[in-house]
Amino acid sequence: MKLQKISSAKCFDGEQLRYVHYSDVLQCEMKFSIFLPPKAKEGAVPVIYWLSGLTCTDENFVTKAGAQEYASDFGVAIVAPDTSPRGIDVPDDPEEAYDFGLGAGFYLNATQEPWSKHYNMYDYIVHELPQLIASEFPINSDLSSISGHSMGGHGALTIALKNPELFRSVSAFAPICSPMQCPWGQKAFGNYLGDDESRWKKYDTIELIRKSTERLPILIDQGDADNFLEAQLKPKLLEQAAMAADYPISLRIQSGYDHSYFFVASFIGEHIKFHAKNLL
Amino acid sequence: MKLQKISSAKCFDGEQLRYVHYSDVLQCEMKFSIFLPPKAKEGAVPVIYWLSGLTCTDENFVTKAGAQEYASDFGVAIVAPDTSPRGIDVPDDPEEAYDFGLGAGFYLNATQEPWSKHYNMYDYIVHELPQLIASEFPINSDLSSISGHSMGGHGALTIALKNPELFRSVSAFAPICSPMQCPWGQKAFGNYLGDDESRWKKYDTIELIRKSTERLPILIDQGDADNFLEAQLKPKLLEQAAMAADYPISLRIQSGYDHSYFFVASFIGEHIKFHAKNLL
């Protein structure tokens, strides 16, 4: 099965579509959503990849963020993949916790058993999915940006920092800034990547920004009423690392906002405008 | 229990709040959501009541419609009630069908057993809830409008037509225009109101518009790719009845749109602007 449409709905004069396909790198069927703006009827359009957070599927962003209005206005597509491999053959956290296993792929390639067979979200997001998108949709892959929320903010930042040639800009809402230095990340990385913390560094934004040589436009919004701010997200570590590395980033602390999609919805328009400016 | 806050989240510089209270007319605990725009910090603001469709709770509109952006801009509050009485004491469709019983109150006062004790959504929406809102929130009740989707469009239209003195304007997305003339309505009305169809007329938009003497601004959007258009919604009946009654309505057929919240989201901004024009 190469690609099968699950649903479609007109939205802000564009199309909100959902597909299922078989992923070779994840060895399971995967669903993703894609919004095509009205301009896609006339030719290839730029694309923003959206990576979601813990517990999400491809649908949370699509139904809750209100991004289609802006994507329609600016003429950009948005691809929203799932957050982990899926299916009865895919192992989950033995305790079915929300922060590891299904819904918690952390956008890395696992090296440890039993995770390494399926949990290769890094290769899926960086290689397999964009190739599929480029071959099947009116997308100009040379004009790609990436964004995400929480675990997906970590994914967007690490993937962009590791592949600056693939993206024009990157943004994040309440990203996990240093998985190596927070409980969510330590649990996931320990299980997916093993105990040797030196191997964790290639998936840690703080470590990557220290070593980066190229510069991408980076926009980050973080609510100061976010329950996960101090223990899990730690934007100050990123601010310090970026300053030390002389890497300009725009990190905005938004007063009163929490970790929810009400926060994402409030600023998604500005993020899409930011990406559009770098894509168009 | 008069009123208890369940959750709050900052959203577009306003507040998205959720409450639970005991309803005397429904004889059960009820949840509702309310969005307060930033202007509510300075004084009382106008309010739009939003009535949702079959299967919905107060949360679907709040998370999916993207209305807060516009409510914030125009300085209007939005109250989103649930769609039926709730709780283990409240009887449901014996077959647990989606179109009757829980999640399907049809915004009427039931007269038949076992429904009449709890299923009094008409009195709840018209009297009890607005009184609670007026007493507990910075709302100017003299400036109220009402809107809704599908079964909630039926609710908004019938409630406004029966109470033109309470509302400045009414709008609907894909409303059930004549419950008396469609399977959803016939099932619900037959059960809630009994077999005597003469009693159904006071909850049927077509019947009400025929008898109306006052005129409210009415805006209706209907997608022409809506699966329920022909069998359940029947906007042509409303168009004909309004014309015959010399009641001006704005009924817009939106090409390619279906029955989903992707349709509602695409036009909610125009509906809020329409109400704001009549409220401000």
Side-chain angles (χ1 to χ4, degrees), chain A residues 8-14 16 62-66 68-70 254-258 260 262-263 265-267, chain B residues 8-14 16 62-66 68-70 254-258 260 262-263 265-267:
Chain A
S8 70
K10 192 166 177 180
C11 186
F12 287 97
D13 213 27
Q16 184 61 59
V62 167
T63 54
K64 292 182 171 184
Q68 294 93 344
E69 176 186 2
Y70 307 101
Q254 301 289 2
S255 173
Y257 286 91
D258 66 14
S260 71
F262 293 122
F263 162 58
S266 299
F267 297 98
Chain B
S8 69
K10 193 168 176 179
C11 186
F12 286 97
D13 212 27
Q16 184 61 59
V62 167
T63 54
K64 292 183 170 183
Q68 295 93 345
E69 176 186 1
Y70 307 101
Q254 302 288 0
S255 172
Y257 287 90
D258 66 15
S260 71
F262 293 122
F263 162 57
S266 298
F267 298 99

Side-chain angles (χ1 to χ4, degrees), chain A residues 116-138:
Chain A
S116 61
K117 178 180 175 188
H118 296 287
Y119 282 83
N120 296 302
M121 287 296 289
Y122 178 83
D123 279 348
Y124 178 68
I125 301 297
V126 176
H127 302 298
E128 189 181 29
L129 183 60
Q131 283 165 20
L132 182 69
I133 296 292
S135 70
E136 299 291 331
F137 298 95

Side-chain angles (χ1 to χ4, degrees), chain B residues 137-171:
Chain B
F137 299 94
I139 298 295
N140 181 350
S141 300
D142 292 336
L143 298 174
S144 298
S145 290
I146 191 164
S147 183
H149 175 224
S150 195
M151 175 183 74
H154 143 74
L157 288 166
T158 54
I159 285 172
L161 287 167
K162 287 159 75 80
N163 304 277
E165 72 287 2
L166 297 181
F167 302 101
R168 300 295 177 108
S169 50
V170 54
S171 78

Side-chain angles (χ1 to χ4, degrees), chain B residues 117-228:
Chain B
K117 178 180 175 188
H118 295 287
Y119 283 82
N120 296 302
M121 287 297 289
Y122 178 82
D123 280 347
Y124 179 67
I125 300 295
V126 176
H127 302 297
E128 189 181 30
L129 184 60
Q131 283 164 20
L132 181 69
I133 296 293
S135 70
E136 299 290 330
F137 299 94
I139 298 295
N140 181 350
S141 300
D142 292 336
L143 298 174
S144 298
S145 290
I146 191 164
S147 183
H149 175 224
S150 195
M151 175 183 74
H154 143 74
L157 288 166
T158 54
I159 285 172
L161 287 167
K162 287 159 75 80
N163 304 277
E165 72 287 2
L166 297 181
F167 302 101
R168 300 295 177 108
S169 50
V170 54
S171 78
F173 293 81
I176 302 172
C177 290
S178 183
M180 294 183 70
Q181 300 183 64
C182 77
W184 280 341
Q186 287 157 355
K187 175 180 177 182
F189 283 19
N191 281 296
Y192 290 136
L193 303 173
D195 294 334
D196 179 357
E197 295 193 13
S198 68
R199 296 184 184 172
W200 299 8
K201 292 184 178 179
K202 66 178 178 175
Y203 298 113
D204 188 282
T205 296
I206 305 297
E207 296 294 330
L208 291 168
I209 211 162
R210 280 184 188 145
K211 294 174 194 159
S212 62
T213 52
E214 298 193 51
R215 297 289 179 260
L216 280 173
I218 297 182
L219 171 63
I220 297 169
D221 276 314
Q222 173 64 58
D224 72 0
D226 187 323
N227 284 337
F228 304 112

